[in-house]
Amino acid sequence: MDTAAPSTAVATGEPAARMDLPLFREIPGHHQPTPFYLTDDMYGGLCFELAGGEISDKIGKPVADPHTHECPEIYLLLSPNPGGAVIEVVADGQQHMLTSPATFFIPTGTVHHFVTRKAEPGTYCLGLLLTGATPR
């Protein structure tokens, strides 16, 4: 499998793989480096980034203080079984309880954080950051 030039794959239209994942980044407000699986500089430039991971070990443990992003974000809450995960999302002071499977849109500049309340093994919470979107 060719992994030599994944940054040019989109521009050249050739298949490419990345196996050096996740890439960890420091994100303001987050307590630990965040694992990213897609970044906007991959494959010749993407208009989004994908971060997050398995959360069954994070029950009752906030992963970040209230913070904002300079782009819109969509959370994806996925578990092996429907109802296998619950996260509490606080966005601009309003509390929302999400039960898997679920998505939640966070507009640009929205102060937000979440806490895992329930997560069976194999549950993932992923953040899709829409870096190429027009700020709102």
Side-chain angles (χ1 to χ4, degrees):
M1 190 171 294
D2 179 20
T3 60
S7 64
T8 61
V10 171
T12 64
E14 297 177 22
R18 291 289 299 248
M19 292 184 278
D20 57 342
L21 303 173
L23 305 173
F24 289 88
R25 289 187 177 170
E26 295 286 338
I27 303 296
H30 286 241
H31 299 160
Q32 297 179 348
T34 301
F36 278 79
Y37 294 91
L38 293 169
T39 62
D40 59 3
D41 60 348
M42 287 181 175
Y43 303 114
L46 300 174
C47 59
F48 60 88
E49 297 185 323
L50 182 66
E54 211 276 349
I55 61 170
S56 64
D57 64 341
K58 295 179 176 36
I59 297 170
K61 303 173 189 172
V63 297
D65 293 326
H67 63 283
T68 64
H69 295 284
E70 295 179 11
C71 62
E73 178 179 29
I74 300 170
Y75 284 122
L76 301 130
L77 180 62
L78 307 168
S79 61
N81 299 296
V86 176
I87 62 172
E88 174 186 349
V89 178
V90 179
D92 280 346
Q94 294 186 353
Q95 179 185 17
H96 306 270
M97 297 301 280
L98 305 181
T99 301
S100 63
T103 62
F104 193 81
F105 179 72
I106 302 285
T108 301
T110 300
V111 177
H112 67 283
H113 70 282
F114 71 85
V115 178
T116 303
R117 297 299 179 198
K118 172 185 172 184
E120 64 187 8
T123 294
Y124 286 79
C125 186
L126 303 171
L128 184 64
L129 287 82
L130 305 174
T131 57
T134 303
R136 294 179 185 197

